[in-house]
Amino acid sequence: LGCATEAFGSYLYDIRARGILNSFSSTPDMKQQCAKYSVAFSHSGRLMFVASEDFSIEVWDTLIPNSKKPLQSISSVHYNRITDVAVPPSGFCLGASSWDAMASITAP
């Protein structure tokens, strides 16, 4: 189970073990931290996409324990915080919605 928090991080939980498997935070500096709002997983489950208050989508590798840097930060066309991300079952694209009342689709 993936979880995004307004407390500046995102987490991967194991429901059966009732605990955190992995935590993802891009910087220890609280001044540069942004709230996170939504999580979606790639088709394989290896990549976790996290919607951020800084108008970007962070891409994390779920197999790297306690990673401090995302694999990639996708800059979007949005000009306000991204509140939701989704990946369709085909895994071919990434959808995002924002407080700017727009939705976007990113494809490779």
Side-chain angles (χ1 to χ4, degrees):
L1 174 67
C3 177
T5 70
E6 289 190 21
F8 316 123
S10 44
Y11 302 94
L12 188 62
Y13 288 96
D14 184 346
I15 299 295
R16 293 171 290 179
R18 297 183 181 171
I20 296 174
L21 281 179
N22 209 343
S23 62
F24 307 93
S25 179
S26 55
T27 177
D29 183 6
M30 293 298 285
K31 293 177 185 175
Q32 296 178 358
Q33 296 261 353
C34 294
K36 312 300 181 206
Y37 294 105
S38 178
V39 170
F41 290 94
S42 64
H43 182 68
S44 67
R46 178 157 185 179
L47 300 178
M48 183 170 77
F49 302 94
V50 181
S52 181
E53 185 177 38
D54 68 355
F55 320 153
S56 71
I57 299 169
E58 295 174 349
V59 183
W60 296 89
D61 186 338
T62 60
L63 298 180
I64 298 175
N66 301 317
S67 181
K68 298 297 179 196
K69 183 177 180 187
L71 293 175
Q72 183 177 1
S73 183
I74 301 171
S75 297
S76 70
V77 297
H78 298 284
Y79 57 89
N80 209 328
R81 67 180 63 170
I82 298 174
T83 56
D84 197 21
V85 289
V87 176
S90 68
F92 184 70
C93 60
L94 175 68
S97 63
S98 170
W99 276 17
D100 59 15
M102 290 185 359
S104 63
I105 296 176
T106 304

